[in-house]
Amino acid sequence: MVFSSITFLFFFLPAVLLLYRIVGKRWRNLLLLLASLLFYAWGEGIYLLLMLVSISMNYVMGRVIHVSRSSSSSRFFVTVAVVLNLGILGYYKYGHFVTDNINTLLELLHLPLFNLEPIRLPIGISFFTFQALSYIIDVYRGKTEPQRNVINLGLYIALFPQLIAGPIVRYNDIAKQLTDRVVTAEGFATGIQRFFFGLSKKVLIANPMAIIADQIFALPVNELTAPVAWLGIFCFTIQLYYDFSGYSDMAIGLGRMFGFHFYVNFSYPYISKSFTEFWRRWHISLGTWIRDYIYIPLGGSRLGEIRTQINLFIIFFLIGLWHGASWNMAIWGIYNAGFFLLERTRFGALPRKLWVPLQVIHFMLLFMFGMVIFCNTTLSDAMYYFITMLGMAGESASAQSASLYLNSKALLEISVGVLLAMPIYPALRELRRKISDTLPGRRQFVFNLSVHVTKFSVTIWLVYFSCISLASGVYNPFIYYRF
């Protein structure tokens, strides 16, 4: 089940919200846990058992680590817990990747090959595994007390608003909210608005961009031209941002409806002027998780410049593999690492001498080249796409024109996508505040009321158009659905 579905919007969510109001404070965590398990089982079936194993295992290990924290065995138990969590993630996500690479080597040596049956990747496994790891490690470090109530810990790991595609929530950030949270009318209204804003980003921008991108990526090589290739990767870049940030907005909004406060996961990454700035704005919860639980333990920037560069290379390599079990993804991570490290040198200062809009354009061009690696399944496909983008592939008589994909509707969607990728909303909010501060009492009240009415009207229209789009069958799964 996904948020952008009729089943979720008109049946699951209203039922859970209604029951949440009925059961009262005592039973609300149990209700949310059962709802979250149902939400997961809806799409995963038997893998619900894997979720229950993760909850039980981390509950027991958290308690054991806490009890043994004053003894030397504490390190042993936290190692066991980390290995078990990563073992589950490694088997389901990287089992075939590792086996295929080993078999390639064995084949060269004319040795018998390993045979691994097909493995279906459980949805959201990267997200709930990282959350479980942060809980275990923070208990070991003494930053948080172990959860004594298995229902509360289960809710933290399985909470359906952010279960499938994040943001990655630290246990320490919501530990108090698990037992003591309040749903206010204002918070609930804010949550609804944030949810439908995210839904509209997904349905009204990401989905149409996905249709164009998928059509272009499916073209035979003899029909691909440089303009069409650029259009395809441009639409995919827009799709990726609105797909993932839309999900994060929906997750944050849903959390507010139930009294949880999740941190922002995106901060207008497409206005970045460098890869360094981009990774501070993109998928913030993953970046901070990697920083706190891998980069800093490796030594961070405390052990000299060479060691710092090695550590940065390692974390970007791992970020690439986190996004997918393939060499394409690993190379995509290395691609980002290369520019990240280059920006730390004197050569990295050269783009900063450009006019700011040109810095953004320069970064986005490099970023889109990286997206070619990200969205192609093989390196050979990515290389051919690169060659085509650079106009070096030649054109056949059957080559297509980019205008075939750019009707008035598509142009409008692309324009809105580009516009909203910039901090328009914060600028309008600041303008509203300045205007409001200059008005006398009654006129200020009328002005603020008109702003709220406008926001409400816009939300209603977004809901309407999103639901119409969903009802017409225009739907794409989330890109991060099985990460």
Side-chain angles (χ1 to χ4, degrees):
M1 191 187 309
V2 294
F3 298 157
S4 56
S5 66
I6 297 298
T7 302
F8 180 84
L9 290 172
F10 293 100
F11 297 98
F12 182 84
L13 180 59
V16 174
L17 287 171
L18 178 62
L19 291 173
Y20 190 80
R21 297 291 296 177
I22 292 174
V23 299
K25 185 175 181 179
R26 182 178 179 183
W27 302 104
R28 63 185 182 181
N29 280 3
L30 177 60
L31 169 69
L32 280 183
L33 176 58
L34 293 176
S36 298
L37 295 177
L38 173 62
F39 177 86
Y40 195 73
W42 190 277
E44 289 301 274
I46 192 64
Y47 281 152
L48 175 62
L49 296 177
L50 183 65
M51 172 66 71
L52 294 174
V53 166
S54 178
I55 292 170
S56 304
M57 175 183 71
N58 286 290
Y59 174 76
V60 171
M61 294 307 298
R63 299 295 301 276
V64 170
I65 290 167
H66 176 70
V67 170
S68 63
R69 197 166 61 194
S70 59
S71 65
S72 59
S73 59
S74 178
R75 182 183 292 263
F76 169 77
F77 287 121
V78 74
T79 301
V80 170
V82 169
V83 168
L84 288 174
N85 278 287
L86 291 181
I88 293 172
L89 176 63
Y91 172 76
Y92 284 101
K93 188 168 183 175
Y94 302 102
H96 271 290
F97 175 66
V98 173
T99 302
D100 290 345
N101 282 279
I102 292 174
N103 282 342
T104 299
L105 179 61
L106 293 176
E107 193 171 14
L108 292 174
L109 299 174
H110 304 288
L111 295 174
L113 305 182
F114 290 105
N115 182 31
L116 186 63
E117 295 297 321
I119 302 173
R120 181 169 173 263
L121 182 65
I123 59 176
I125 189 170
S126 296
F127 291 94
F128 71 73
T129 299
F130 272 31
Q131 292 198 173
L133 283 171
S134 72
Y135 166 72
I136 288 295
I137 294 170
D138 283 352
V139 170
Y140 170 73
R141 291 175 174 175
K143 290 185 175 181
T144 190
E145 292 295 312
Q147 178 56 248
R148 298 180 179 276
N149 188 321
V150 68
I151 292 174
N152 292 347
L153 183 66
L155 182 59
Y156 162 68
I157 293 175
L159 186 60
F160 76 86
Q162 42 71 234
L163 171 62
I164 305 301
I168 301 171
V169 178
R170 310 281 188 91
Y171 176 79
N172 204 38
D173 292 333
I174 66 165
K176 291 183 179 179
Q177 298 176 41
L178 287 170
T179 55
D180 184 21
R181 61 185 183 276
V182 177
V183 181
T184 64
E186 181 182 2
F188 189 83
T190 300
I192 290 177
Q193 186 181 44
R194 187 67 176 262
F195 175 84
F196 283 113
F197 180 60
L199 179 67
S200 64
K201 288 167 70 174
K202 164 62 180 169
V203 175
L204 302 180
I205 301 179
N207 284 357
M209 293 300 98
I211 293 173
I212 297 174
D214 290 348
Q215 289 175 345
I216 291 175
F217 294 149
L219 286 176
V221 293
N222 64 321
E223 296 183 17
L224 196 62
T225 63
V228 172
W230 276 103
L231 177 63
I233 205 64
F234 183 72
C235 288
F236 178 80
T237 302
I238 297 175
Q239 175 201 355
L240 180 68
Y241 171 60
Y242 285 99
D243 188 284
F244 196 11
S245 69
Y247 189 101
S248 292
D249 284 334
M250 285 187 274
I252 292 169
L254 286 170
R256 291 298 297 272
M257 294 183 206
F258 296 103
F260 290 98
H261 292 255
F262 302 147
Y263 290 127
V264 171
N265 207 25
F266 292 87
S267 180
Y268 299 99
Y270 287 175
I271 66 168
S272 300
K273 300 179 288 296
S274 65
F275 282 83
T276 304
E277 181 181 357
F278 173 81
W279 283 104
R280 289 198 295 262
R281 294 176 175 272
W282 177 272
H283 202 346
I284 298 169
S285 63
L286 174 64
T288 55
W289 196 100
I290 294 287
R291 179 197 66 197
D292 293 344
Y293 297 105
I294 299 179
Y295 178 67
I296 292 177
L298 284 174
S301 57
R302 304 187 306 273
L303 303 176
E305 182 60 24
I306 294 178
R307 181 62 181 272
T308 298
Q309 292 179 8
I310 293 173
N311 291 341
L312 288 171
F313 181 88
I314 290 171
I315 67 168
F316 274 104
F317 180 79
L318 294 176
I319 285 173
L321 284 179
W322 183 89
H323 281 83
S326 71
W327 284 114
N328 262 36
M329 288 300 184
I331 292 171
W332 175 75
I334 294 171
Y335 177 88
N336 281 266
F339 284 104
F340 196 96
L341 293 173
L342 182 64
E343 289 168 2
R344 295 172 59 89
T345 69
R346 56 191 177 90
F347 297 104
L350 296 177
R352 293 197 289 271
K353 297 178 181 180
L354 298 172
W355 183 38
V356 170
L358 291 180
Q359 292 183 51
V360 175
I361 293 171
H362 170 261
F363 162 74
M364 286 304 301
L365 288 173
L366 294 175
F367 178 75
M368 284 192 290
F369 269 109
M371 285 293 97
V372 173
I373 306 171
F374 186 95
C375 66
N376 278 283
T377 54
T378 65
L379 290 177
S380 59
D381 289 342
M383 286 302 299
Y384 187 84
Y385 206 96
F386 276 129
I387 293 170
T388 305
M389 288 174 68
L390 296 174
M392 299 167 60
E395 291 187 11
S396 67
S398 59
Q400 294 195 9
S401 169
S403 61
L404 292 174
Y405 304 93
L406 295 176
N407 56 33
S408 56
K409 178 176 178 292
L411 287 171
L412 175 62
E413 290 159 348
I414 290 172
S415 300
V416 172
V418 172
L419 184 66
L420 294 182
M422 296 181 282
I424 302 297
Y425 184 74
L428 291 175
R429 187 170 51 199
E430 180 63 18
L431 179 62
R432 171 211 165 181
R433 185 190 65 79
K434 289 181 178 179
I435 294 174
S436 178
D437 290 345
T438 62
L439 296 174
R442 186 172 180 179
R443 291 181 63 187
Q444 185 182 79
F445 172 79
V446 173
F447 174 76
N448 289 332
L449 179 62
S450 66
V451 170
H452 287 299
V453 170
T454 301
K455 289 170 63 177
F456 178 77
S457 301
V458 169
T459 302
I460 293 298
W461 280 109
L462 290 176
V463 172
Y464 173 76
F465 285 118
S466 296
C467 291
I468 290 295
S469 181
L470 289 174
S472 66
V474 179
Y475 163 72
N476 292 97
F478 287 97
I479 293 176
Y480 278 71
Y481 193 59
R482 289 193 177 274
F483 272 29

